[in-house]
Amino acid sequence: MVRFAVLEPKSLARQCFSGRLYCTERALWKLNWFLRDFGYDMELLTQDQIDEKALINLRGIVRTTHVTLNGHTFQNLEAFAPEAEWDEFSRTEPSETHAQEQR
């Protein structure tokens, strides 16, 4: 479970939400994509290492959706992008919820 703090847009700043990143063999591509886009140390990533301390204060953009499974609603992490792409995303997808991680 990853905890996100919203930094942009300013109207939603300081709100938090949690999301799941699965680490199964089939889902490792999504974890790698997330870590790369959020600025995780690529040397550690190429060595197949996850350092919990290196995860703190990573920043990027997240697109989320809500999924209902067995009567429970979960926030699903749909897509990720580097923080540098915020301006492009904020212009093209104003109705989407974007967040930057500050764990």
Side-chain angles (χ1 to χ4, degrees):
M1 187 74 71
V2 180
R3 182 175 164 90
F4 295 89
V6 178
L7 303 175
E8 295 281 346
K10 296 294 184 196
S11 62
L12 298 174
R14 299 182 192 247
Q15 293 185 25
C16 295
F17 68 93
S18 297
R20 296 179 188 189
L21 281 169
Y22 294 98
C23 298
T24 64
E25 191 170 328
R26 286 182 45 183
L28 282 179
W29 67 271
K30 196 169 190 177
L31 176 61
N32 283 330
W33 179 20
F34 169 82
L35 292 172
R36 182 195 69 224
D37 283 356
F38 274 62
Y40 185 74
D41 184 330
M42 291 307 296
E43 186 173 328
L44 291 175
L45 194 56
T46 58
Q47 297 173 11
D48 293 330
Q49 295 181 27
I50 302 293
D51 178 356
E52 288 183 19
K53 291 179 183 176
L55 297 174
I56 297 171
N57 293 322
L58 295 179
R59 297 165 77 100
I61 301 167
V62 176
R63 183 175 66 199
T64 66
T65 58
H66 287 90
V67 175
T68 302
L69 181 64
N70 298 325
H72 298 282
T73 302
F74 301 95
Q75 190 147 16
N76 191 35
L77 304 177
E78 283 293 315
F80 318 108
E83 178 183 23
E85 295 180 20
W86 170 253
D87 287 336
E88 176 183 332
F89 278 89
S90 65
R91 284 192 308 271
T92 60
E93 301 180 47
S95 64
E96 297 291 336
T97 301
H98 298 282
Q100 298 180 347
E101 180 189 24
Q102 185 176 14
R103 200 176 143 216

